[in-house]
Amino acid sequence: IPPPEPELTPEAMLGRAEAMRPLLRERQASCEVLGRIPEETHNEFVRAGFYRILQPRCYGGYEFSFQTFMRVMIEISRGCPESGWVLALISAHAVVVAAFPEQGQREAFGDSGEMRAPGVAPPGGFATRVEGGYRIKGAWDYASGCDVGTHFFGTMFVVEPSSEAPRGAVFVLVDRADYT
């Protein structure tokens, strides 16, 4: 999957974030009232390529450095801390997905390369071993950015079918179609 703008540079990406700062400041109160980033902000983040900063290039990302990622997140947060928080949280998990086996990466990044995954670290459910994998069930009381996420990362306790006792923990990636 080629990135949307193959010639985009880290400097140009940072310039986009700096240019967006005044607009984000104007929207900051609205963001606070909504309890989420405004839809137009999310759409601008998509168009700017911000969600793809750390994403592997072979899956439609820019594979820029952590330094570039941090500089862009700082600039966005200078405009609106809430928007910076959501952007950083859901786009940084591309690095986690990049460590998945190839099949998992292909499934997560899909045909378009659109992959945004908020996550919650405290366990909120249970994963029970079944033939071919795990059956998962859980609930979390929040996940910043879940409304614009294409996936969700959640930590779960692993339980064996014959016992209710936890045997460890796993971090699961759930497709948007499979959660509410």
Side-chain angles (χ1 to χ4, degrees):
I1 302 169
E5 298 175 79
E7 304 305 318
L8 185 64
T9 65
E11 294 75 22
M13 180 73 73
L14 182 58
R16 290 175 181 184
E18 291 168 346
M20 195 176 283
R21 192 176 22 189
L23 184 60
L24 292 171
R25 284 186 179 154
E26 288 176 21
R27 293 181 184 157
Q28 191 172 13
S30 172
C31 186
E32 184 70 27
V33 169
L34 289 170
R36 61 180 298 276
I37 63 172
E39 189 66 27
E40 57 269 17
T41 299
H42 162 68
N43 291 335
E44 289 164 0
F45 287 174
V46 170
R47 282 191 298 276
F50 295 155
Y51 294 118
R52 296 174 183 253
I53 294 173
L54 295 175
Q55 190 167 312
R57 196 160 184 93
C58 64
Y59 292 112
Y62 293 106
E63 205 171 310
F64 290 154
S65 69
F66 280 108
Q67 181 181 14
T68 298
F69 177 79
M70 293 306 297
R71 290 176 68 202
V72 169
M73 296 308 115
I74 289 168
E75 287 304 318
I76 294 298
S77 296
R78 289 176 69 196
C80 177
E82 293 91 343
S83 296
W85 166 258
V86 170
L87 177 60
L89 178 67
I90 69 177
S91 60
H93 287 128
V95 173
V96 176
V97 174
F100 284 11
E102 186 175 343
Q103 179 182 346
Q105 291 181 57
R106 285 184 180 168
E107 289 176 19
F109 292 117
D111 294 334
S112 68
E114 289 293 328
M115 202 290 299
R116 298 177 296 278
V120 178
F126 297 93
T128 305
R129 290 184 195 276
V130 296
E131 187 175 326
Y134 292 90
R135 174 167 288 125
I136 62 173
K137 183 177 182 180
W140 292 262
D141 60 356
Y142 77 95
S144 299
C146 65
D147 54 310
V148 296
T150 61
H151 295 77
F152 169 75
F153 267 119
T155 305
M156 309 187 101
F157 289 115
V158 176
V159 294
E160 296 298 326
S162 61
S163 170
E164 295 283 323
R167 299 287 184 228
V170 293
F171 209 37
V172 298
L173 180 66
V174 181
D175 189 274
R176 178 68 192 186
D178 297 326
Y179 75 88
T180 56

